[in-house]
Amino acid sequence: MREFGYQRVFDVPGAVTLGADPEARYLGGGTNLVDLMKSGVERPGLLIDVRELPLDRIVPTEGGGLRIGATATNSDLAAHPEVRRRYPALAQAVLAGASGQLRNMATVGGNLLQRTRCAYFTEPAQPCNKRTPGSGCAAVNGEHRNHAILGASEHCVAVHPSDMGVALTAFDAVVTYETADGPGELPLAEFYLPVGDTPHLETALPSGALITGITLPPAPVAANSRYRKVRERASYAFAIGSIAAALDTRDGVVREVRLAFGAVASRPWRARAAERALTGAPATAESFAAAADAELAAAKALPHNGYKVTLLRNLVVAVLTELTEEAAR
Ligand SMILES: Cc1cc2nc3c(=O)[nH]c(=O)nc-3n(C[C@H](O)[C@H](O)[C@H](O)COP(=O)(O)OP(=O)(O)OC[C@H]3O[C@@H](n4cnc5c(N)ncnc54)[C@H](O)[C@@H]3O)c2cc1C
Ligand code: SF4
């Protein structure tokens, strides 16, 4: 491992001044970054520990939204009463990730910026365009059972591993950040860049930007929401497919629906075609299946991950049916 410096910071201006150094990385819980440093994928010259910054609060906003500080731990986010009441799928998504110990360490900002779990990415001896641009993609003709079916390219078929990000995507979260030049914000829909031929460029964050928080706009529909994650063992495993869904129906008709998929693309995937197909449609299993088909028509499966298309279709039907039945009780 390369020798590195370590600096704890206590205020945002001090953090972003240090963060302007291209060799520096912000350190949240370290649960992803430190692993990548051990394997040699990340080689920072300086770690800027952000956990003492005054950015760990979760505050309800007027009208029913939430402001979530970037250094709030995943555990605190999942346990917060207003998260559980206003955005239950978000609390469920966070609790579906990692383990209790990891969630106690992991931060909200770090979770959004965690890197892919593609085994070729974390093994420096393998070709990987994301780690070493131009070296090739070992997964396309290799092990890709858990790789992307949506929005990928021949240059990279990796998926984003965050559960939290899927729920945040369904609820139109906005990421706020600070740089040495001032503050900025990015809707999560624009935060992750398309893969194209530059899979090493993952987000639209300016260089050296410190994520300061996430704003969730008010969304009454989110009170009737659910996160469902499918994985290869019952706990402590990344998703092979997941869904965050929220539904509002009246007289058997869909008034509003939110849908996002996880583990199918390089970013949490907002299922807008499915949402469009469902709005105003009868809240029935047939409509839910047709909406899933509308979204998944764009899927491009590799030889070993075609099962994800069926998996996601079944998730859409099952979770929306449950939400419909619960709302009717
Ligand atoms: C065994 C294991 C299982 C896991 N299972 C799951 C799972 O099922 N689902 C899931 O979603 N996650 C899972 N995780 C991932 C875990 O949730 C992430 O490692 C964690 O959320 C990252 O948070 P962190 O604060 O530790 O980030 P760090 O490791 O500290 O940082 C990650 C990245 O974010 C950057 N960063 C951190 N904070 C900021 C900031 N404020 N501004 C700008 N950049 C910042 C760092 O520089 C780094 O690039 C698992 C992890 C492990 C080790
Ligand atoms: S899928 Fe992406 S991360 Fe995995 S080997 Fe290919 S380029 Fe690298």
Side-chain angles (χ1 to χ4, degrees):
M1 196 196 280
R2 178 187 177 192
E3 237 175 68
F4 59 90
Y6 170 88
Q7 178 101 36
R8 193 172 287 173
V9 284
F10 300 92
D11 59 75
V12 169
V16 296
T17 301
L18 288 171
D21 172 358
E23 297 256 294
R25 295 281 183 286
Y26 297 114
L27 178 73
T31 60
N32 186 222
L33 179 57
V34 174
D35 278 353
L36 294 174
M37 288 167 65
K38 287 184 197 160
S39 61
V41 173
E42 287 272 12
R43 294 170 51 78
L46 174 66
L47 291 185
I48 307 164
D49 189 336
V50 300
R51 282 173 301 176
E52 300 293 331
L53 292 175
L55 297 175
D56 61 347
R57 295 187 61 210
I58 299 166
V59 187
T61 58
E62 235 170 80
L66 273 184
R67 168 90 188 138
I68 302 164
T71 62
T73 64
N74 286 192
S75 296
D76 286 348
L77 179 62
H80 197 283
E82 289 305 316
V83 176
R84 297 163 73 98
R85 191 168 70 87
R86 297 179 188 195
Y87 306 90
L90 175 57
Q92 292 162 14
V94 175
L95 287 177
S99 65
Q101 293 95 328
L102 284 160
R103 292 193 298 270
N104 287 343
M105 288 298 291
T107 62
V108 166
N111 189 298
L112 285 181
L113 289 179
Q114 63 175 300
R115 311 294 301 277
T116 182
R117 295 281 157 167
C118 173
Y120 302 107
F121 172 74
T122 51
E123 173 44 67
Q126 296 287 341
C128 170
N129 288 324
K130 189 183 274 301
R131 179 175 24 75
T132 312
S135 62
C137 172
V140 169
N141 295 311
E143 173 50 56
H144 55 238
R145 260 184 59 77
N146 194 22
H147 285 60
I149 55 169
L150 289 164
S153 82
E154 60 184 309
H155 302 283
C156 180
V157 289
V159 295
H160 197 278
S162 173
D163 290 298
M164 182 188 84
V166 181
L168 290 175
T169 296
F171 301 141
D172 291 328
V174 177
V175 179
T176 53
Y177 62 83
E178 192 79 29
T179 68
D181 298 327
E185 61 177 41
L186 279 167
L188 208 50
E190 295 163 26
F191 182 79
Y192 297 106
L193 296 172
V195 185
D197 57 3
T198 53
H200 59 293
L201 303 177
E202 294 181 346
T203 76
L205 273 180
S207 162
L210 171 78
I211 297 178
T212 51
I214 291 167
T215 305
L216 279 172
V221 67
N224 186 38
S225 68
R226 177 160 297 183
Y227 186 72
R228 175 74 52 81
K229 171 176 178 175
V230 179
R231 44 192 154 178
E232 286 181 334
R233 55 174 189 245
S235 71
Y236 205 30
F238 288 93
I240 56 173
S242 70
I243 179 174
L247 186 67
D248 178 23
T249 59
R250 180 167 299 173
D251 300 329
V253 172
V254 175
R255 280 170 24 130
E256 188 178 354
V257 61
R258 303 285 184 93
L259 282 173
F261 301 161
V264 295
S266 64
R267 61 181 191 272
W269 187 266
R270 181 75 178 264
R272 293 206 183 267
E275 289 179 357
R276 278 194 299 275
L278 268 178
T279 307
T284 59
E286 291 71 29
S287 307
F288 302 151
D293 290 343
E295 191 68 42
L296 293 164
K300 289 199 178 83
L302 295 159
H304 306 301
N305 69 357
Y307 74 94
K308 287 195 179 193
V309 177
T310 316
L311 175 64
L312 262 297
R313 187 179 196 267
N314 291 343
L315 278 174
V316 170
V317 176
V319 172
L320 290 179
T321 301
E322 286 168 17
L323 288 172
T324 306
E325 288 169 357
E326 267 160 36
R329 272 186 211 137

